């Protein structure tokens, strides 16, 4: 089974149950602190946002059963519904360019830098893809692509260079 973890931080697709759980913990600890004036409750209130950073969105692909799930990983337990994998055409590894958003510092717009990330995608058809891996290390991206290629019997398109190359795995 292949797994890919990425953080919810900055993710707009956070399930509402996670958001409501954190809000409930905040309200409960605040009420307990107001009632009891117990410093332990205050410590819980201050430290509970740290739990947010332990929650991760987790993509799992079961190559044997040909299914996947995009679930929520909380302290090592994954919650999410398994779904059948669509028919995958090939694996794509490419460099994607991102642009920092400019900001105003009183005198006008400032810094307009670009940066690159390597993405590994399962290509379903011309319009649909599944993001499997994103990062800075091209070697790790190719390791992920080769693993999937071997276990799913798919070709890899290396689009990290100007000349795209089909890799024989």
């Amino acid at each position: 089974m292949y797994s890919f973890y990425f953080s919810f931080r900055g993710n707009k697709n956070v399930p509402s149950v996670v958001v409501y759980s954190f809000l409930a913990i905040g309200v409960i600890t605040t009420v307990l602190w107001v009632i009891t004036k117990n410093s332990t409750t205050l410590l819980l209130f201050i430290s509970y946002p740290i739990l947010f950073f332990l929650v991760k969105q987790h993509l799992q692909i079961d190559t044997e059963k040909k299914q996947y799930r995009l679930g929520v990983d909380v302290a090592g337990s994954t919650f999410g519904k398994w779904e059948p994998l669509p028919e995958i055409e090939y694996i794509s590894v490419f460099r994607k360019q991102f642009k920092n958003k400019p900001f105003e510092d009183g005198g006008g717009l400032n810094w307009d830098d670009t940066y690159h990330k390597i993405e590994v995608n399962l290509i379903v058809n011309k319009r649909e893809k599944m993001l499997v891996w994103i990062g800075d290390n091209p070697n790790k991206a190719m390791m992920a692509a080769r693993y999937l290629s071997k276990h799913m019997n798919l070709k890899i398109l290396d689009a990290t260079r100007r000349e795209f190359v089909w890799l024989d795995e």
Side-chain angles (χ1 to χ4, degrees):
M1 189 175 328
Y2 179 78
S3 295
F4 171 64
Y5 291 87
F6 55 98
S7 173
F8 264 144
R9 294 183 291 267
N11 190 329
K12 295 176 184 169
N13 299 321
V14 177
S16 57
V17 73
V18 173
V19 173
Y20 292 136
S21 297
F22 284 121
L23 287 174
I25 291 170
V27 169
I28 291 167
T29 54
T30 303
V31 169
L32 286 174
W33 180 73
V34 168
I35 293 171
T36 64
K37 300 290 186 202
N38 187 337
S39 60
T40 306
T41 308
L42 181 60
L43 181 65
L44 179 63
F45 174 72
I46 292 169
S47 63
Y48 96 90
I50 294 171
L51 294 174
F52 185 74
F53 294 101
L54 298 176
V55 174
K56 301 208 181 305
Q57 197 169 13
H58 182 157
L59 174 68
Q60 281 186 308
I61 299 173
D62 188 337
T63 55
E64 291 177 12
K65 294 181 181 176
K66 302 228 183 265
Q67 59 186 6
Y68 76 98
R69 71 176 168 182
L70 184 59
V72 178
D73 186 54
V74 181
S77 297
T78 302
F79 305 95
K81 181 182 173 191
W82 286 100
E83 298 193 25
L85 264 174
E87 190 66 34
I88 308 295
E89 293 181 10
Y90 62 93
I91 300 167
S92 172
V93 181
F94 68 99
R95 287 180 57 178
K96 185 171 182 180
Q97 180 174 319
F98 294 90
K99 194 171 204 169
N100 287 322
K101 292 182 180 175
F103 63 93
E104 288 192 47
D105 63 354
L109 296 177
N110 202 354
W111 58 280
D112 199 21
D113 296 333
T114 60
Y115 61 97
H116 293 87
K117 295 280 186 184
I118 307 293
E119 285 190 3
V120 176
N121 287 304
L122 299 178
I123 306 300
V124 177
N125 56 43
K126 299 280 186 219
R127 295 183 180 155
E128 202 176 333
K129 65 183 180 179
M130 290 178 64
L131 176 63
V132 176
W133 190 93
I134 187 168
D136 297 318
N137 189 326
N139 294 330
K140 287 184 180 180
M142 289 309 278
M143 285 173 53
R146 284 189 176 106
Y147 176 89
L148 290 169
S149 172
K150 177 181 174 186
H151 289 86
M152 297 176 76
N153 197 24
L154 296 168
K155 287 192 168 248
I156 300 172
L157 176 64
D158 182 358
T160 58
R161 298 171 245 167
R162 197 177 271 313
E163 297 292 323
F164 296 176
V165 177
W166 287 99
L167 302 178
D168 294 323
E169 294 298 317

